[in-house]
Every structure is written in C-alpha cells, then in structure tokens.
Amino acid sequence: MNKAHPVPTLPIELVAQIIELNLPERRYHTFAERYATLRTFSLVNSLWKDLAQSLLYTHVLVEDPARLDALALALPGSGRASQVKSVRFGHADGRWD
C-alpha cells in the first residue's frame, strides 16, 4: 500500500518572491497582463491567493469612471483599502474615452 506524502510548502517569503518576479513591470500597457497573471496565481492555493490579491489591490486601474463608485464601496468592506498605493484612470492601452 502506498502512503501519500504531503507536498512540502514553501516559505511565504519565497512564494511572494516567485509571484513578484513573474509579474511584468508596472506600466499602463502591462496592467491587463499583470492582473491576468495575479488572477491565475490566486487559483493555486489559499496562500498564493492572499498574496496575489494583496498585489491586485496595491495599484488599481479604473478604466470606466462609473466603476470608481463601485471601487469606493467595495474597498472599505474588503479590508484592503490600506493596501491601495495608487489609483490610475484610463484604459490599459493609455487611452481615455
């Protein structure tokens, strides 16, 4: 009978470094790619989810002015308002309709 061996977990600092090193640099034209990558990382497990989501809230891109109200309502209830360092307005490709 084979006994399953649990997969060892990585230290949180190493996981954070792996996530950050795999993200493109923070620019308007890389926001969509950064968000997609962070959303993918958040599916790995609960530790990766927490780290990825904290980075998602660090620099926020608001593409539609109507969404700013939704952001303002969501942040206080999420407990992530203190993580937001910047909010940018416009489209990921640099245009503003």
Side-chain angles (χ1 to χ4, degrees):
M1 172 186 277
N2 277 339
K3 291 185 179 181
H5 296 286
V7 176
T9 58
L10 296 172
I12 191 168
E13 297 84 4
L14 184 56
V15 174
Q17 195 69 16
I18 290 169
I19 291 173
E20 290 189 32
L21 288 174
N22 281 283
L23 292 174
E25 68 179 317
R26 215 174 11 259
R27 300 282 182 257
Y28 263 147
H29 66 278
T30 63
F31 262 65
E33 183 182 355
R34 283 179 63 84
Y35 284 1
T37 303
L38 287 167
R39 283 192 305 267
T40 300
F41 284 148
S42 72
L43 299 174
V44 173
N45 62 33
S46 60
L47 171 63
W48 286 57
K49 176 184 159 204
D50 291 342
L51 292 169
Q53 285 185 349
S54 69
L55 289 170
L56 276 169
Y57 281 94
T58 303
H59 301 283
V60 179
L61 174 64
V62 178
E63 293 185 316
D64 180 357
R67 301 294 306 230
L68 188 56
D69 289 337
L71 178 65
L73 290 172
L75 279 177
S78 71
R80 302 216 183 255
S82 64
Q83 292 174 314
V84 176
K85 293 181 181 176
S86 71
V87 178
R88 295 177 185 224
F89 301 94
H91 291 277
D93 61 9
R95 66 185 168 82
W96 183 255
D97 293 335

